[in-house]
Amino acid sequence: MADWLAALDRRADLRAKAGLTRRLHARAADETVTDLAGNDYLGLATHPEVTAAAARALSAYGLGATGSRLVRGSTDAHHALEDALADWIGTDRALVFSSGYLANLGALRALVQPRTLLVSDAHNHASLIDGCRISGAETVVTPHADVTAVADALAAAPGRPAVVVTESIFSVDGDLAPLARLHAVARRHGALLLVDDAHALGVTGPGGAGAVAAAGLAGEPDVVVTATLSKALGGAGGLVAGPAEFVRHLVETGRTFIFDTALPPAVAAGVHTAVGLARAGDHLRAELAERAARAVARLAAAGLTVSAPDAGVISVTAPGPEAATAWAADCRDRGVAVGCFRPPSTPDTRSRLRLTVNAGVPRADFERALEVIVEVAP
């Protein structure tokens, strides 16, 4: 009866030998570590207006939504947040899910019809990859940010419904997809474009409306936008935004929406307040961009291989998975939290530290963190 547990132990040993062990680390509320690992780009997770709005809703509605959105889980807080998100992003409607992961699974499944072809970027997030798989549709994976390859894949399937699937700001290296060119190719072939704007919403675009808006594609009838509410907005949950007809289709058929307990109302209320702060947060976006440029300059000057970020994600190459793990651990021992990405979490064979810039971190702490990363580099 215990054979299956022994098999799991053997697989864990193999991961350990490859430097791929993962462990959970508890974070205390009063932790003093400088955060360059989380995704709170604008520092809104602890903003007093955000937490106050969440506290008021917590008192009014209780801890959880108590049901799925179609049963008892839809509250005034959810609807107000969806209206605010649609207005900000520039779409007909927006629908809030309990996570960005479920939003991507639901959106992709809802876009698939018989014979649909999905054309997915090789560097897409796991939620998009899993969404393509779960949809059951034929999926062609194209080289990263290769518009010609996308055009060739669509041309090879004439007359078939198709969806081009991409992130805007990619989650590992922080580079920006060629959204306008991808949309032009998709439209030429009668395909839809799905863009996961998770790492751009709040960080780029007019009023922080994201990379889709920055590319001039907001509200286009053949574009669907997904995102998480857990990054620049500092909360939790996910969203799908697009034409009203598509959102209606999700409400009526989307399994990851219909059969999932709704986002807690307190989180919805806090995120709604964060949306207003993000829209007015040009000064925060300017600070974030300045810090990202500063980080790249300092790390490159130390001889490290660093990505050129288009938003708040910075990738720093490590010699290998074990070196990346040790580097991240040494940083943490010195009071700096950084991300550590290794295969198979990376879209290639390269291990790296991933730094995410947080405009809410005190400037002196941010500068010190850069020095620590350089000092303990392998």
Side-chain angles (χ1 to χ4, degrees):
M1 290 294 292
D3 288 350
W4 71 282
L5 297 177
L8 293 182
D9 280 340
R10 289 193 295 272
R11 292 165 70 178
D13 289 341
L14 291 173
R15 289 194 299 272
K17 290 176 181 177
L20 299 178
T21 297
R22 289 172 167 81
R23 294 184 176 86
L24 296 172
H25 299 281
R27 175 168 65 92
D30 58 353
E31 183 182 64
T32 57
V33 169
T34 301
D35 183 13
L36 294 186
N39 298 308
D40 186 20
Y41 294 119
L42 304 182
L44 297 180
T46 56
H47 193 287
E49 292 182 34
V50 172
T51 56
R56 289 193 297 270
L58 180 64
S59 177
Y61 290 104
L63 181 61
T66 74
S68 65
R69 290 289 302 276
L70 290 173
V71 179
R72 287 284 292 169
S74 283
T75 67
D76 293 343
H78 293 88
H79 287 263
L81 173 59
E82 288 167 342
D83 289 345
L85 288 167
D87 181 67
W88 186 27
I89 297 169
T91 57
D92 288 348
R93 287 186 62 189
L95 191 66
V96 168
F97 288 67
S98 64
S99 76
Y101 211 107
L102 291 180
N104 274 340
L105 298 187
L108 279 162
R109 184 64 188 88
L111 288 170
V112 167
Q113 50 186 303
R115 298 181 63 247
T116 294
L117 176 70
L118 299 177
V119 182
S120 178
D121 190 284
H123 284 203
N124 275 343
H125 187 264
S127 58
L128 294 174
I129 295 170
D130 287 352
C132 290
R133 290 171 177 168
I134 290 171
S135 76
E138 179 186 354
T139 301
V140 174
V141 178
T142 53
H144 179 51
D146 189 334
V147 178
T148 300
V150 171
D152 290 344
L154 294 173
R160 291 178 60 180
V163 184
V164 176
V165 183
T166 186
E167 293 183 64
S168 55
I169 297 294
F170 285 89
S171 56
V172 175
D173 284 334
D175 55 319
L176 174 64
L179 294 180
R181 292 164 57 209
L182 286 172
H183 179 252
V185 164
R187 178 166 285 184
R188 187 162 67 244
H189 291 276
L192 304 177
L193 177 65
L194 182 144
V195 181
D196 182 343
D197 222 10
H199 287 275
L201 187 64
V203 177
T204 66
V212 173
L217 304 179
E220 290 293 335
D222 50 0
V223 175
V224 171
V225 180
T226 66
T228 176
L229 309 176
S230 62
K231 301 193 187 318
L233 296 175
L239 72 94
V240 179
E245 296 86 349
F246 180 63
V247 173
R248 179 187 63 200
H249 181 67
L250 279 171
V251 170
E252 295 180 355
T253 69
R255 293 174 67 85
T256 61
F257 177 81
I258 295 171
F259 298 105
D260 185 47
T261 297
L263 189 73
V267 176
V271 171
H272 187 186
T273 297
V275 168
L277 293 168
R279 294 187 76 163
D282 285 347
H283 62 294
L284 296 174
R285 282 180 283 278
E287 177 68 17
L288 187 149
E290 181 183 342
R291 291 190 186 194
R294 164 65 182 147
V296 169
R298 178 66 187 95
L299 299 175
L304 300 173
T305 301
V306 190
S307 65
D310 288 303
V313 178
I314 300 169
S315 170
V316 190
T317 300
E322 292 181 349
T325 303
W327 193 359
D330 288 344
C331 286
R332 185 171 185 84
D333 289 343
R334 297 278 297 274
V336 178
V338 297
C340 178
F341 279 37
R342 301 158 290 164
S345 295
T346 58
D348 48 30
T349 59
R350 187 161 55 94
S351 297
R352 67 266 269 172
L353 297 190
R354 191 188 75 164
L355 315 181
T356 46
V357 181
N358 183 335
V361 170
R363 172 60 77 116
D365 292 347
F366 174 75
E367 294 287 350
R368 175 186 166 277
L370 296 181
E371 296 308 313
V372 167
I373 294 167
V374 169
E375 290 168 8
V376 302

